[in-house]
Amino acid sequence: MGKFLMNRLRIVACILILALPCIMAYEGGYPAVFSSTEWVFSAEYSQNSTKNCQFSTLQGRRDYQEDRVTCNLHMKLPFSGEDGAEEITIGIAAIFDGHGGDEASEMASRKLLDYFYMHFMSYAYERASPSNKENDQAQTVNSSQRKLPMIDRLSLLRILEEALLKTIQDIDIEFTKEALDKGYISGSTGIVVLLVNGQYLVANIGDSKAVLCSERIDSKHNAEGNSLTEVYVEELTKDHHPDRADEKARIEAAGGFVRTFGVPRVNGILAVSRSIGDLYLKRYGVVPNPEVTGWKHFTQENKYLVVASDGVFETLTPQNVCDLVHYKASKSSSGNMRSSSYLADWIIHSAFKTGSTDNLSAIVISDLLE
């Protein structure tokens, strides 16, 4: 039996069968739960979870590859809805861009899915119907009769968002402890996208980007009389640069300062004002708190969602990225794409060829309304 499946069974057993003691452990955070259940992290699952996602990475001109990608567009989450027991399919795509070493990005990518699954199940239990809670507290109820938490669709979206925010918080807490113990100075930006039922939510820390590439038929025609397609882009994230007014205010209020060495930097060192890790700069206003878009609906015009590390945008604009994807996808409409990562490959190699000096990573998601 795979590690991830074993972990899922342990979570369900912990929350639904050992409900009260497990929730008490859960209040101590993610590590407390897995310590109490002899938990083993599913590193194997996280590494293999990209099989159903179009992604590509390239070390580029750097001495080390510090980017990490985690992506699974068919993650199954059990819950009980109005129609009884259900299993919802969500997509989760993330890029962690490390700096000062790969320790922070490696931990974040490796533990993202386990953390998220744990927090989803725990929050879902907390939102369970009163009757379920009463049954769980009753000593006479047989464990085999316990039910999954009942939640409505609106609550489901809230739970997914809450679970993601708690996941990022706990990853930062755990890495901070490890950094203290082992003397790590590394940190990582992070961008995570959740997708469910034609809706999406983006949580961003740092300067990676998520862009939505859309197409619409222009009223104009070309010389052959064919309709023209207009490609337009929507940026879903705002970079956390230290000179952004609100970011600079927080840094200075914490006793830090912003100096420009090539680009604006926190205390003249770090080029982003939010990150996972970076232990030595936390006291100066560097925080792991993501900015979140809130849930939004895809439309028929939305064709591709691209998530990419900042190395891509060192030489390409978001519009460049969408134009590249549209061009290459239209040329490959006959279905002769060489691999599932074809579009993502095209993006990062275009950035590399135009002079990017950073690590490069990109995820391309299509069929957004499915």
Side-chain angles (χ1 to χ4, degrees):
M1 183 180 295
K3 290 182 181 178
F4 181 67
L5 179 56
M6 284 294 295
N7 284 358
R8 284 183 58 163
L9 293 175
R10 286 172 179 163
I11 292 173
V12 172
C14 176
I15 295 175
L16 301 182
I17 299 176
L18 306 174
L20 184 56
C22 183
I23 291 303
M24 290 175 66
Y26 178 75
E27 290 175 355
Y30 179 90
V33 173
F34 297 111
S35 175
S36 68
T37 57
E38 299 180 353
W39 190 262
V40 178
F41 284 112
S42 58
E44 178 183 353
Y45 174 79
S46 295
Q47 292 169 359
N48 295 334
S49 63
T50 49
K51 289 182 178 178
N52 55 27
C53 190
Q54 296 183 23
F55 81 102
S56 187
T57 64
L58 183 69
Q59 182 174 318
R61 295 176 172 88
R62 291 291 178 92
D63 293 333
Y64 306 98
Q65 172 59 283
E66 297 173 326
D67 284 2
R68 296 292 187 272
V69 177
T70 296
C71 189
N72 186 342
L73 300 184
H74 301 293
M75 189 175 184
K76 306 295 185 181
L77 298 174
F79 75 102
S80 182
E82 296 177 356
D83 299 326
E86 299 181 39
E87 188 175 57
I88 190 168
T89 300
I90 72 156
I92 183 166
I95 292 177
F96 298 98
D97 181 354
H99 47 260
D102 64 1
E103 297 90 356
S105 56
E106 173 64 23
M107 175 182 282
S109 64
R110 181 163 44 89
K111 297 190 174 182
L112 174 69
L113 299 177
D114 277 341
Y115 272 59
F116 182 75
Y117 191 91
M118 174 70 221
H119 290 312
F120 172 83
M121 292 298 295
S122 298
Y123 283 137
Y125 178 85
E126 291 177 0
R127 297 286 181 88
S129 66
S131 60
N132 282 347
K133 289 182 179 178
E134 291 170 3
N135 286 342
D136 285 333
Q137 294 170 359
Q139 298 295 323
T140 57
V141 176
N142 187 289
S143 62
S144 65
Q145 296 175 324
R146 300 186 194 279
K147 299 178 180 179
L148 288 169
M150 179 174 290
I151 49 179
D152 58 42
R153 292 287 173 174
L154 182 59
S155 295
L156 176 65
L157 296 180
R158 293 196 191 102
I159 290 169
L160 290 170
E161 180 175 353
E162 290 170 2
L164 178 58
L165 294 177
K166 182 63 173 172
T167 291
I168 294 170
Q169 179 188 60
D170 270 4
I171 286 174
D172 181 71
I173 290 172
E174 183 170 349
F175 181 73
T176 296
K177 292 177 180 177
E178 186 166 313
L180 281 169
D181 181 54
K182 298 183 178 180
Y184 294 149
I185 63 170
S186 59
S188 178
T189 68
I191 184 166
V192 186
V193 179
L194 296 181
L195 305 102
V196 59
N197 296 331
Q199 299 178 75
Y200 66 93
L201 175 145
V202 182
N204 184 50
I205 306 165
D207 56 2
S208 294
K209 295 182 187 292
V211 299
L212 190 58
C213 302
S214 303
E215 301 172 8
R216 59 184 166 218
I217 304 300
D218 200 315
S219 57
K220 300 177 183 178
H221 294 76
N222 60 18
E224 289 74 30
N226 299 320
S227 298
L228 298 176
T229 300
E230 178 188 1
V231 179
Y232 64 98
V233 60
E234 180 183 354
E235 294 188 45
L236 305 179
T237 54
K238 295 180 180 178
D239 292 344
H240 295 129
H241 290 155
D243 61 339
R244 205 178 91 174
D246 53 343
E247 299 294 294
K248 185 177 181 180
R250 187 186 65 252
I251 292 163
E252 292 179 341
F257 59 89
V258 178
R259 291 289 184 274
T260 299
F261 293 101
V263 296
R265 299 175 184 273
V266 179
N267 289 9
I269 301 171
L270 185 62
V272 291
S273 51
R274 302 193 191 195
S275 68
I276 295 167
D278 289 306
L279 175 63
Y280 60 98
L281 288 173
K282 285 185 180 296
R283 70 181 69 179
Y284 299 112
V286 174
V287 298
N289 308 333
E291 281 191 295
V292 182
T293 60
W295 287 100
K296 297 182 179 181
H297 289 267
F298 290 117
T299 70
Q300 292 291 341
E301 291 184 345
N302 303 148
K303 301 302 180 184
Y304 299 96
L305 178 61
V306 179
V307 185
S309 58
D310 70 309
V312 168
F313 301 100
E314 190 176 303
T315 58
L316 302 177
T317 68
Q319 185 65 57
N320 292 154
V321 168
C322 287
D323 287 341
L324 284 168
V325 170
H326 169 75
Y327 172 79
K328 209 61 180 177
S330 64
K331 295 298 182 182
S332 305
S333 58
S334 61
N336 62 345
M337 287 192 179
R338 292 170 294 182
S339 72
S340 63
S341 61
Y342 187 53
L343 296 177
D345 267 336
W346 183 249
I347 291 171
I348 66 169
H349 283 93
S350 295
F352 180 76
K353 289 176 181 178
T354 51
S356 178
T357 61
D358 203 350
N359 298 150
L360 299 157
S361 297
I363 300 170
V364 179
I365 303 171
S366 58
D367 301 320
L368 301 176
L369 290 176
E370 291 187 359

